[in-house]
Amino acid sequence: MEIENSVVLITGAAMRVGRTVALELAKKGAIIVFSYYLEEEPWQETMQEIKNLCGECLAIQTEIRSAADVKNLVQQTIEHYGRVDVLINNASIWLKAPFLEISEMDWDLSLDVNLKGPFLASQAVAPHMLAQGQGVIINITDLSAFQTWPGYAHHAASKAGLVSLTKSLAVELAPEIRVNAIAPGTVLLPEDAPPEKAEWAVDKSLLKRVGEPEDVARLIAFLIESEFTTGSVYFVDGGRSLV
């Protein structure tokens, strides 16, 4: 699929990695629609930057855990641009707690945002993609789906579920819709991360450096354009999954 003039819907793209993905695809001529959750997120600045690049952008406040909100997100995209060519399920939440201290509320929150959200979005866009004869869905998981991270049982369960969902969708929606997942390593540290966190990330990387959000964006562009890729998980982690 050509990126130029394609309509790309990205969940949770007002900031961090999602924002970089949106900007990189906009540079390639994509029409960008993105969701944001909180009004205080820098969604207006992100939208203006995208408009400066491609001239076409729509930002919609969305509760990704709500089927009604997600349907509205997709419907507004269709009303404005007539189609959805690419869905990138990027919205995510990171929660940490020892297993015996995970509350039911936090368990539900992790699963709802990280797994239910992509399920709802994919189910909402799939009929439109099938009707138009083509589409691409890309899910953003992470290494916790494949490694054991103490303190992240609820997060890991949600991301492992997303890997399974990716494979199921690839089978059920083929051949019109291609579905893949990306598992990033450390590509963007928290703003308040101490120096030792960066040192740890470098040590865990076979390439001995921290990645960049652009590394994820470039892989996403490849998966949009590569017509013979579906049902796979692609690591962009500097080799960390092998350590």
Side-chain angles (χ1 to χ4, degrees):
M1 178 184 293
E2 294 289 335
I3 294 176
E4 188 173 8
N5 295 320
S6 64
V7 179
V8 179
L9 173 57
I10 312 174
T11 64
M15 53 190 180
R16 295 186 62 78
V17 175
R19 174 183 174 276
T20 298
V21 171
L23 290 171
E24 288 296 312
L25 294 179
K27 289 176 185 177
K28 295 179 179 292
I31 298 167
I32 304 295
V33 180
F34 71 90
S35 73
Y36 64 95
Y37 178 45
L38 298 175
E39 189 63 36
E40 55 263 33
E41 292 176 24
W43 64 271
Q44 291 176 311
E45 293 89 335
T46 300
M47 182 173 66
Q48 188 57 55
E49 286 191 65
I50 295 170
K51 285 185 175 181
N52 291 342
L53 290 168
C54 67
E56 290 287 348
C57 179
L58 182 65
I60 303 170
Q61 188 170 20
T62 304
E63 167 55 84
I64 201 67
R65 297 171 290 175
S66 163
D69 266 29
V70 172
K71 287 179 181 177
N72 175 67
L73 173 66
V74 174
Q75 189 58 41
Q76 285 203 47
T77 304
I78 297 295
E79 290 176 1
H80 277 79
Y81 300 116
R83 65 189 194 279
V84 181
D85 298 308
V86 180
L87 168 65
I88 302 172
N89 285 309
N90 168 76
S92 184
I93 189 170
W94 283 77
L95 298 178
K96 182 179 181 180
F99 175 71
L100 294 179
E101 298 176 15
I102 297 173
S103 66
E104 181 180 1
M105 180 182 298
D106 282 351
W107 177 270
D108 289 345
L109 182 58
S110 288
L111 272 290
D112 282 354
V113 174
N114 297 344
L115 184 55
K116 180 182 176 182
F119 156 72
L120 291 173
S122 299
Q123 194 175 61
V125 302
H128 300 285
M129 290 181 172
L130 291 171
Q132 66 197 29
Q134 66 173 349
V136 174
I137 297 175
I138 300 173
N139 296 319
I140 308 299
T141 183
D142 61 44
L143 299 184
S144 70
F146 307 94
Q147 299 177 329
T148 302
W149 292 2
Y152 290 95
H154 42 348
H155 180 83
S158 69
K159 292 299 187 177
L162 187 55
V163 170
S164 181
L165 180 64
T166 298
K167 296 178 179 180
S168 294
L169 294 182
V171 171
E172 291 202 44
L173 301 179
E176 292 88 355
I177 304 174
R178 295 186 292 107
V179 188
N180 290 291
I182 293 177
T186 305
V187 296
L188 184 63
L189 291 165
E191 293 181 1
D192 59 350
E196 53 266 28
K197 179 65 175 180
E199 294 171 3
W200 174 88
V202 169
D203 182 63
K204 287 293 184 180
S205 168
L206 293 181
L207 301 182
K208 299 307 174 188
R209 65 178 178 86
V210 173
E212 299 176 347
E214 288 79 7
D215 294 317
V216 176
R218 284 189 286 267
L219 181 52
I220 286 175
F222 165 78
L223 291 176
I224 292 172
E225 295 180 328
S226 180
E227 296 288 352
F228 203 56
T229 58
T230 198
S232 295
V233 181
Y234 293 80
F235 293 87
V236 54
D237 66 346
R240 178 179 162 188
S241 57
L242 302 176
V243 177

